[in-house]
Amino acid sequence: MILGSPCRYVESPNQDERPDGEEPTLLVVHSISLPPGEYGGDAIEQLFSNRLDPRAHPYFREIAGLKVSAHFLVRRDGGLVQFVPVGRRAWHAGASRWRGRERCNDYSLGVELEGLEGGPFEPAQYRSLERLVRALRAALPLRQIAAHSDVAPGRKGDPGAGFAWRRVLAALSQH
Ligand SMILES: [Zn+2]
């Protein structure tokens, strides 16, 4: 499934098949900004499509070779970009475990919020994320939501304390 307007689609090569019959039941929330703390550029899209120029910023040298992706990115203005169809596996959680089950990429959707780990997010991002969660809930057996820091504790800290869980939990619980 690819969501319609206003979602832009940028294909990421960093995806593959989910295990047989697996449907996404978990939403993993991340934060990212490239370079860290700078918003609005296209470096995130470049990273997820393996086009990030390691010479463009010192930080990019550390990450330019990563093969990573997420299903969705929510920009600071609420704009939505999709990189991987929800029926396929995006490479966002890495080594991970949620409620005793490992390899969260197998059964989750990854959503990146443009922002700094621990920092605040924009009202437009919550509105966009709530709309997204409702649309996904209508089409998929999505039941749970977790932070990347929840599924990879000690290794990952995003999205951090600035993320207002109650706003998204309310959207997830509506039927
Ligand atoms: Zn993350």
Side-chain angles (χ1 to χ4, degrees), residues 78-158:
L80 197 60
V81 186
Q82 182 171 5
F83 299 93
V84 176
V86 298
R88 289 178 56 83
R89 181 167 57 186
W91 303 349
H92 58 97
S96 52
R97 171 195 289 256
W98 177 243
R99 297 189 174 163
R101 197 172 164 204
E102 301 202 356
R103 293 187 300 278
C104 294
N105 285 345
D106 289 358
Y107 58 94
S108 70
L109 295 172
V111 178
E112 298 274 2
L113 299 182
E114 189 178 23
L116 257 187
E117 185 178 311
F121 297 90
E122 297 288 339
Q125 290 182 289
Y126 289 108
R127 286 195 294 273
S128 181
L129 183 59
E130 288 164 27
R131 273 198 304 274
L132 175 63
V133 168
R134 286 202 187 92
L136 294 170
R137 281 268 295 164
L140 298 166
L142 205 62
R143 291 187 298 271
Q144 301 171 7
I145 184 167
H148 198 188
S149 59
D150 292 327
V151 303
R155 191 173 68 81
K156 292 292 180 179
D158 61 312

Side-chain angles (χ1 to χ4, degrees), residues 38-76:
E38 290 184 29
Y39 303 143
D42 57 2
I44 301 169
E45 293 179 20
Q46 290 171 0
L47 176 67
F48 288 170
S49 37
N50 301 343
R51 292 183 289 109
L52 189 65
D53 180 359
R55 295 161 302 184
H57 188 277
Y59 182 67
F60 295 174
R61 272 201 296 276
E62 301 174 27
I63 61 168
L66 295 177
K67 296 282 193 292
V68 291
S69 62
H71 292 90
F72 297 98
L73 167 68
V74 182
R75 306 303 303 253
R76 295 300 283 187

